[in-house]
Amino acid sequence: MFFRMVRGTFARQWKKMLMIALTVALGASIATAMLNVMLGVGDKINEELKTYGSNITVVPKSEAVISKLYDVEEGAVDTEYIEQEKLGELLTIFWANNITDFAPVSDTAATLGESEVTLVGTWFDHHLEFVKKGTTYERDTGLVNLRSWWDIEDGEWLDEQKLDGSDYAMVGAQLAKEQGIKAGDVVTLSCGENTRKLTVTGIFESGDDEDSYIYTTLSAEQELTGTQGLFKKAEVSAITSPDDELAVKAARNPSLLSGDEYDLWYCTAYVSSICFQIQEAIPEASAAAVRQIADSEGKILEKTELLMTLITFMSLIGATLGISNLVTSGVMERSQELALLKAVGATNGQVTLLVLTEIMMTSILGAAAGYFMGYAFAQIIGQTVFSSSIEMNPMVAFLVAVLIVAVTLVGSIPAIRMLLGLRPSEVLHGGH
């Protein structure tokens, strides 16, 4: 009998029930989209920020110590180097898969004609193979991804794997303009008694001081300066988790952490824990976060998550108000039917259960449709903003279900209060 009455309500008030389902579907779709994006946005934002350069710098430990003691910028102490072969150790740390790109960098003063210029040696698109304890690690890495914002005005990127030899270079737009250099030209650089001719593959514009630099392969710079197998620093780009209280505490001194805190910190992709592991792998080096980028990641992530939360909250408020109006009007239209049920012996609890069952069944159908709509909406956001898909998080389905139940119950409160106040004698006999 109970379900016959429910079925009858759907048959008579299908338009009203459809509107309730659509209202719930809209709220559920927005909540699903925002929650999926919010839970998956951390890595996406990190990946986006990685296109703007490295967030970790690796320098010789002695240089880092002197820089801290005497308050000088890193790079001001040029006498120390790191062995190039040590770079392969980056592929062996716990968070190796979070390191997306890295490149050694060595700069030196060189002479071009009558002018003194800065020559930078690095990897452009280097294929690294590193063998440790019988295991071979491989990675394609280099400056191509670390400087993805460079605008190539003339020519193309220096392709180490394609070009035969290391006698090639890329020239900054400002220097190229001053010296009249074009792609395909050959420039002669001198460093002390060593001279080297380099063919220019491209002219780049970076928008900063690098526009006055010449970039060449690391091997070419090493031969000019006589520092074969050595480099001055490395730039590392890693996907990291935003800093929290534990990360800040660990950054000051990891030894002050308790055993459980240390394990949690070490096994979380904080920029400080990745730096610590780099230093474990390369003891003669010091790794430090580029704080402008690392801090920006956390702030942008927090603001993005706040925005997503507000949008979700507002959509659920809208759904609650919509359900409240629709359910209340439905109860008003059925007041005589519901009063008659009370008159023949139905209790307030039984009548309330009937109405809530009808509303919950409608909400479940709307929520199911809204969930899949929201997932599709999340993919649109992912492709539009991050050019990649958003993974379906199983937790979102549970959260949306809980939220929709809460929204439906809260939205039904005015109607239930009206239902409890119905007096059969007044409704059926006009108050007489």
Side-chain angles (χ1 to χ4, degrees):
M1 182 66 179
F2 182 84
F3 289 103
R4 285 179 62 187
M5 296 178 67
V6 172
R7 194 163 56 246
T9 300
F10 277 98
R12 293 191 305 273
Q13 292 194 318
W14 66 270
K15 291 183 179 179
K16 187 82 65 179
M17 294 302 180
L18 179 61
M19 289 301 298
I20 293 174
L22 289 175
T23 301
V24 172
L26 180 60
S29 66
I30 295 176
T32 299
M34 294 301 103
L35 289 172
N36 269 305
V37 173
M38 184 169 65
L39 293 175
V41 77
D43 287 348
K44 303 299 180 184
I45 288 178
N46 275 311
E47 289 170 6
E48 286 293 304
L49 288 174
K50 295 304 164 283
T51 64
Y52 298 98
S54 59
N55 56 351
I56 297 174
T57 301
V58 181
V59 299
K61 181 169 289 185
S62 57
E63 177 180 336
V65 171
I66 294 174
S67 298
K68 290 180 181 179
L69 286 176
Y70 297 100
D71 194 25
V72 297
E73 294 183 0
E74 290 184 357
V77 183
D78 296 339
T79 55
E80 298 296 327
Y81 293 87
I82 303 174
E83 295 180 12
Q84 182 177 325
E85 62 181 19
K86 297 291 186 180
L87 272 175
E89 296 286 354
L90 295 177
L91 304 180
T92 69
I93 68 172
F94 181 81
W95 287 110
N97 289 334
N98 278 50
I99 295 179
T100 56
D101 286 288
F102 58 90
V105 177
S106 282
D107 62 288
T108 188
T111 301
L112 174 64
E114 297 181 356
S115 303
E116 186 174 278
V117 298
T118 298
L119 177 67
V120 181
T122 187
W123 290 344
F124 287 86
D125 56 345
H126 187 78
H127 180 72
L128 175 63
E129 289 189 11
F130 181 72
V131 180
K132 184 174 183 179
K133 296 181 180 179
T135 302
T136 300
Y137 302 87
E138 296 185 55
R139 182 75 63 87
D140 287 324
T141 186
L143 205 71
V144 172
N145 293 321
L146 290 173
R147 297 289 191 277
S148 60
W149 70 88
W150 277 6
D151 180 25
I152 308 302
E153 295 186 348
D154 184 22
E156 59 186 7
W157 275 95
L158 196 163
D159 190 337
E160 290 183 60
Q161 299 185 41
K162 178 181 177 181
L163 298 173
D164 183 20
S166 59
D167 298 326
Y168 296 92
M170 296 183 68
V171 179
Q174 182 63 36
L175 180 61
K177 182 178 179 181
E178 294 173 355
Q179 299 289 333
I181 300 172
K182 304 183 297 297
D185 289 352
V186 176
V187 295
T188 301
L189 293 171
S190 299
C191 186
E193 298 180 354
N194 298 323
T195 300
R196 196 177 186 91
K197 294 182 181 294
L198 302 174
T199 300
V200 178
T201 65
I203 307 297
F204 68 87
E205 182 177 11
S206 65
D208 55 28
D209 292 343
E210 292 177 328
D211 285 339
S212 297
Y213 294 175
I214 296 177
Y215 274 79
T216 186
T217 60
L218 182 63
S219 58
E221 189 273 343
Q222 289 170 339
E223 290 176 14
L224 266 174
T225 57
T227 56
Q228 285 84 348
L230 304 173
F231 66 92
K232 291 183 178 179
K233 71 174 183 177
E235 296 183 9
V236 179
S237 179
I239 296 175
T240 60
S241 299
D243 281 358
D244 55 16
E245 186 177 345
L246 175 61
V248 173
K249 182 179 178 180
R252 295 194 189 103
N253 191 349
S255 63
L256 298 178
L257 300 177
S258 66
D260 290 340
E261 286 178 330
Y262 181 87
D263 290 341
L264 177 59
W265 168 73
Y266 194 88
C267 296
T268 304
Y270 298 122
V271 67
S272 57
S273 63
I274 294 178
C275 288
F276 182 79
Q277 291 172 30
I278 291 174
Q279 292 175 170
E280 284 185 320
I282 312 177
E284 60 268 38
S286 174
V290 180
R291 273 294 155 196
Q292 296 91 330
I293 295 178
D295 291 344
S296 294
E297 292 173 0
K299 291 177 182 177
I300 292 174
L301 183 58
E302 288 176 3
K303 291 180 179 179
T304 303
E305 290 180 344
L306 177 61
L307 175 62
M308 299 293 180
T309 302
L310 289 175
I311 293 174
T312 302
F313 182 67
M314 296 304 294
S315 70
L316 293 176
I317 289 179
T320 302
L321 294 175
I323 291 173
S324 178
N325 290 332
L326 290 168
V327 175
T328 300
S329 65
V331 169
M332 291 176 64
E333 291 176 6
R334 300 171 59 195
S335 59
Q336 289 189 335
E337 173 193 343
L338 298 174
L340 181 59
L341 288 174
K342 285 188 174 185
V344 297
T347 65
N348 280 333
Q350 290 172 328
V351 177
T352 300
L353 178 61
L354 173 65
V355 174
L356 284 178
T357 299
E358 297 166 355
I359 303 307
M360 281 298 176
M361 289 177 65
T362 305
S363 295
I364 290 172
L365 294 174
Y371 178 78
F372 291 103
M373 290 167 54
Y375 181 67
F377 185 32
Q379 300 312 308
I380 294 174
I381 295 175
Q383 293 295 336
T384 302
V385 179
F386 303 108
S387 298
S388 63
S389 61
I390 300 292
E391 293 184 7
M392 181 181 285
N393 194 315
M395 186 185 298
V396 172
F398 173 76
L399 290 175
V400 170
V402 172
L403 290 172
I404 291 303
V405 169
V407 164
T408 302
L409 291 175
V410 172
S412 301
I413 288 175
I416 299 303
R417 292 182 61 186
M418 178 184 294
L419 178 62
L420 295 176
L422 279 179
R423 296 183 180 180
S425 60
E426 294 181 357
V427 175
L428 297 176
H429 301 290
H432 299 290

